[in-house]
Amino acid sequence: MEYSISQFGAPDAPHCNPETAQVTIIPAPLEYSVCYMKGTEHGPQAILDASSQMELYDEELDCCPIEIGVYTRPVLDYSGMDHAEALKATGQAVRETLEKGQLPLILGGEHSLSAPCIAAVHEKYPDLTVVHIDAHGDLRDEYEGTPLSHASIERRVVDMGIPLLEIGIRSFSPEEAEFLKSGPNIAVVWAYQIARGIAQIPWERLGKHVYLTIDLDAIDPSEMPAVGTPEPGGLSWYQVLDLVREICQRSTVVGMDVVELCPMEGQTRADFLAAKLVYKMIGYRFQQNAK
Ligand SMILES: [Mn+2]
């Protein structure tokens, strides 16, 4: 790609000192198990590039969230690695960020990268809850022969013994439905419940510390067309923002990711949505701390 921004919010971002930043963005162009549209490996760079065109004042929060310090690591280089090695390297980047006392915010890349990131955050915060905003349940034990698949990521979270809250789901296999009925520690808020105004989100499930993973296909394809596996009937921009805001008000978010952007020719609105979502997540997260 010719246009290649290395710091989120650049070129105006003056607050990207790696030592004093409160957030470290980890661009993770991981793509091994994507099954339909390929291209998520270009997602992180598309988000960084779009972020350079974004205004840094947040009218809702009446501040410039970037001033808390947002450092972007060099894009992770997975060349020569197999899927398992790439996941390990991603988890290591999260661990290094946590050791510096910074909040890791990972840009995907395919959703399988969340597993090592969540594992690393869970080591530091054993009382972790995972909130998963997605169109898909991602609860298959394995998919296309691998337990590392992006379609199995939340099953790995369950395997780790971490309570899970899934929101926006509208694509679920019979195997996943059966698994859910077997009583694992999962609550699911379906997209249709949100669309009809009958969703009762079990917020009491959230512990003190939350890891938030957002698969961009949670958002309706009319607003977010650039994903590998689009599903109709998704959440709106403001519905997603309201969820993120509420999560940040109720708990301390100690890790987050935005995954599955699959940049497409002529669909730059998707890259801009992803970049702005990342910025709103940072704003909500630290506005809550400032109160
Ligand atoms: Mn998904």
Side-chain angles (χ1 to χ4, degrees):
M1 201 178 287
E2 282 175 37
Y3 191 59
S4 200
I5 291 287
S6 63
Q7 288 296 318
F8 186 82
D12 295 333
H15 305 282
C16 53
N17 182 318
E19 300 311 317
T20 58
Q22 296 193 61
V23 176
T24 288
I25 290 182
I26 303 170
L30 189 141
E31 180 167 84
Y32 289 88
S33 67
V34 167
C35 36
Y36 192 66
M37 283 283 296
K38 294 204 185 300
T40 58
E41 66 181 308
H42 303 299
Q45 191 61 58
I47 294 173
L48 294 178
D49 289 348
S51 77
S52 70
Q53 302 297 315
M54 192 180 65
E55 297 291 2
L56 298 175
Y57 172 74
D58 185 309
E59 70 283 4
E60 181 188 359
L61 304 174
D62 188 23
C63 68
C64 293
I66 202 141
E67 289 176 3
I68 60 146
V70 178
Y71 165 64
T72 306
R73 275 179 69 122
V75 176
L76 285 172
D77 181 3
Y78 297 122
S79 47
M81 294 185 190
D82 66 19
H83 194 174
E85 289 164 343
L87 293 175
K88 204 171 162 195
T90 312
Q92 186 52 31
V94 170
R95 223 166 263 119
E96 288 166 16
T97 300
L98 293 168
E99 279 164 13
K100 289 167 76 182
Q102 298 168 339
L103 175 77
L105 200 170
I106 306 96
L107 306 180
E110 63 160 77
H111 209 163
S112 64
L113 64 83
S114 300
C117 301
I118 290 168
V121 172
H122 189 225
E123 285 164 19
K124 184 166 179 181
Y125 300 99
D127 63 345
L128 195 69
T129 306
V130 168
V131 180
H132 171 228
I133 302 179
D134 198 326
H136 308 91
D138 292 346
L139 288 169
R140 286 179 157 95
D141 194 26
E142 57 172 58
Y143 191 63
E144 295 185 336
T146 173
L148 304 179
S149 170
H150 68 145
S152 300
I153 153 68
E154 301 309 329
R155 186 64 170 263
R156 302 290 81 82
V157 170
V158 174
D159 291 347
M160 290 180 228
I162 302 173
L164 177 62
L165 171 58
E166 300 200 313
I167 305 176
I169 311 301
R170 55 197 188 279
S171 177
F172 218 64
S173 68
E175 178 203 334
E176 289 171 297
E178 199 177 316
F179 175 62
L180 185 62
K181 284 173 187 161
S182 75
N185 194 358
I186 306 172
V188 178
V189 178
W190 307 98
Y192 82 85
Q193 295 172 320
I194 295 172
R196 293 180 187 159
I198 56 168
Q200 298 207 331
I201 298 173
W203 292 120
E204 70 282 359
R205 287 183 66 83
L206 299 194
K208 188 167 186 292
H209 298 112
V210 164
Y211 184 100
L212 172 60
T213 174
I214 300 184
D215 182 329
L216 289 164
D217 64 32
I219 300 169
D220 193 76
S222 61
E223 292 187 76
M224 175 41 77
V227 291
T229 42
E231 284 287 334
L235 308 185
S236 72
W237 166 250
Y238 281 109
Q239 282 174 328
V240 171
L241 291 194
D242 286 351
L243 288 169
V244 174
R245 189 183 54 189
E246 179 122 20
I247 292 160
C248 288
Q249 284 170 349
R250 288 176 175 272
S251 297
T252 302
V253 176
V254 288
M256 35 194 189
D257 65 53
V258 175
V259 297
E260 296 280 345
L261 178 66
C262 180
M264 288 174 187
E265 189 92 41
Q267 301 289 358
T268 47
R269 62 182 153 148
D271 307 347
F272 281 82
L273 185 153
K276 189 139 189 182
L277 177 60
V278 167
Y279 197 46
K280 293 296 287 187
M281 290 162 77
I282 293 170
Y284 288 135
R285 166 63 176 80
F286 285 91
Q287 185 222 21
Q288 182 253 352
N289 267 14
K291 272 182 189 165

